[in-house]
Amino acid sequence: MTVRLDYDSFDLGGMTWEDAEEAIPNADFLVLPTGSVEQHSIHLPVTVDTLRAEALSRELVESASEHDLSMVRLPTLPYGYSEHHMNYAGTITLSAETYMHVVEEIAQSMAKHGAKRLVLLNCHGGNRSPLKLAGDRIQRDHGVKVFFVHWTDFARDKLKERFGEEWGHAGDHETSVIELFYPDLVKSDKKESQTRKARFEARQYTYFDDITEQGGLGDPTESDAEFLEEIVAETTEKILSALSEDMEQEG
Ligand SMILES: [Zn+2]
């Protein structure tokens, strides 16, 4: 996961400072994968979003050269903003302020070494707001262009079409991703349709157990790893096209 021994040539984690001195300013994009450590119902581990960030960023960076893009992948940031999951054991949260500072200071460090563009490849909905605000600061104060990619935004239509409205947290979709990349981490005998406690139209929930019993949404027994494999390939392409189109507009 975040500490791995099989680094690829595009991983900052496997580079010496001499390698990094050359790779960082020459990369079109640095990619920071972002996840979370928070409960994912009774059948999935707390690191689901971090595992997704790790696997999906690898898919992305591996395919970058097919779009004539060069990318350097930073180590996945495992902790995120998860205050709304704190009623379930195992959840670790940074405050929104701390999280924003962490992300900003990672970018600031990379800017010092010549980074031009930074992709925030996010796999946890709770990180969305603090990442956007940190992204604003990074662009304005540190001279690095920021690209915010919430992975599921690029897959949403297809996921909805296949899994219906409630494919989100620990549900059909996330269960499928973990079954595809880390099947040993799914407790198959604990998969069950998640029990909705409330569905608010406008009100914000305070904690996640306001709206769900087991901790998840949707129906993990409907998971489909094979379908997800297609979605990953398609979504990877979509994201790379978007990044390269955005880059072209820089003129
Ligand atoms: Zn998740």
Side-chain angles (χ1 to χ4, degrees):
M1 213 172 83
T2 49
V3 177
R4 50 185 307 143
L5 300 174
D6 58 337
Y7 285 124
D8 272 300
S9 56
F10 51 71
D11 279 311
L12 179 72
M15 293 182 192
T16 65
W17 72 259
E18 284 186 322
D19 301 334
E21 189 174 49
E22 194 180 328
I24 294 169
N26 285 322
D28 293 318
F29 294 94
L30 303 190
V31 177
L32 176 65
T34 56
S36 74
V37 177
E38 70 183 24
Q39 71 85 16
H40 273 76
S41 191
I42 55 179
H43 64 291
L44 292 174
V46 293
T47 51
V48 161
D49 297 339
T50 295
L51 292 166
R52 286 168 53 231
E54 181 69 24
L56 298 171
S57 64
R58 174 174 292 269
E59 296 289 321
L60 188 84
V61 176
E62 265 174 359
S63 303
S65 62
E66 292 159 28
H67 288 253
D68 289 322
L69 297 174
S70 60
M71 292 183 167
V72 168
R73 186 169 72 144
L74 308 185
T76 300
L77 183 58
Y79 301 109
Y81 173 70
S82 300
E83 287 178 4
H84 49 303
H85 287 283
M86 279 305 288
N87 285 346
Y88 293 92
T91 301
I92 297 175
T93 188
L94 304 177
S95 70
E97 294 77 8
T98 300
Y99 186 63
M100 284 166 60
H101 281 132
V102 168
V103 172
E104 188 182 355
E105 287 172 20
I106 289 169
Q108 192 176 5
S109 303
M110 290 296 102
K112 193 164 161 43
H113 306 311
K116 292 180 284 201
R117 302 179 194 85
L118 176 67
V119 180
L120 303 173
L121 188 69
N122 183 41
C123 289
H124 167 51
N127 293 343
R128 205 188 259 271
S129 302
L131 276 178
K132 285 278 232 182
L133 293 172
D136 286 345
R137 285 188 191 164
I138 292 164
Q139 294 207 130
R140 291 190 188 120
D141 300 342
H142 307 299
V144 176
K145 293 187 182 72
V146 175
F147 299 72
F148 179 73
V149 176
H150 185 70
W151 196 90
T152 48
D153 283 349
F154 287 79
R156 190 169 302 278
D157 294 347
K158 286 285 171 68
L159 293 172
K160 233 174 152 175
E161 200 179 294
R162 171 72 176 75
F163 295 132
E165 288 296 325
E166 299 239 78
W167 46 268
H169 187 75
D172 324 27
H173 163 244
E174 289 193 330
T175 304
S176 305
V177 181
I178 301 305
E179 283 174 342
L180 176 61
F181 291 106
Y182 310 95
D184 294 349
L185 293 176
V186 180
K187 286 190 171 178
S188 301
D189 55 327
K190 299 280 269 184
K191 290 202 296 185
E192 61 188 43
S193 182
Q194 304 292 289
T195 316
R196 258 282 187 187
K197 287 161 84 175
R199 185 180 279 102
F200 301 133
E201 288 295 329
R203 204 200 115 182
Q204 293 201 182
Y205 57 78
T206 313
Y207 288 102
F208 220 62
D209 57 346
D210 295 344
I211 58 167
T212 164
E213 191 73 51
Q214 298 94 329
L217 302 170
D219 187 356
T221 66
E222 293 289 311
S223 64
D224 185 345
E226 235 169 81
F227 166 73
L228 233 292
E229 199 168 11
E230 286 168 36
I231 294 296
V232 169
E234 209 175 282
T235 306
T236 298
E237 285 301 302
K238 264 196 203 171
I239 295 171
L240 287 169
S241 299
L243 293 174
S244 98
E245 274 168 38
D246 283 4
M247 211 174 106
E248 275 166 30
Q249 290 183 53
E250 289 172 15

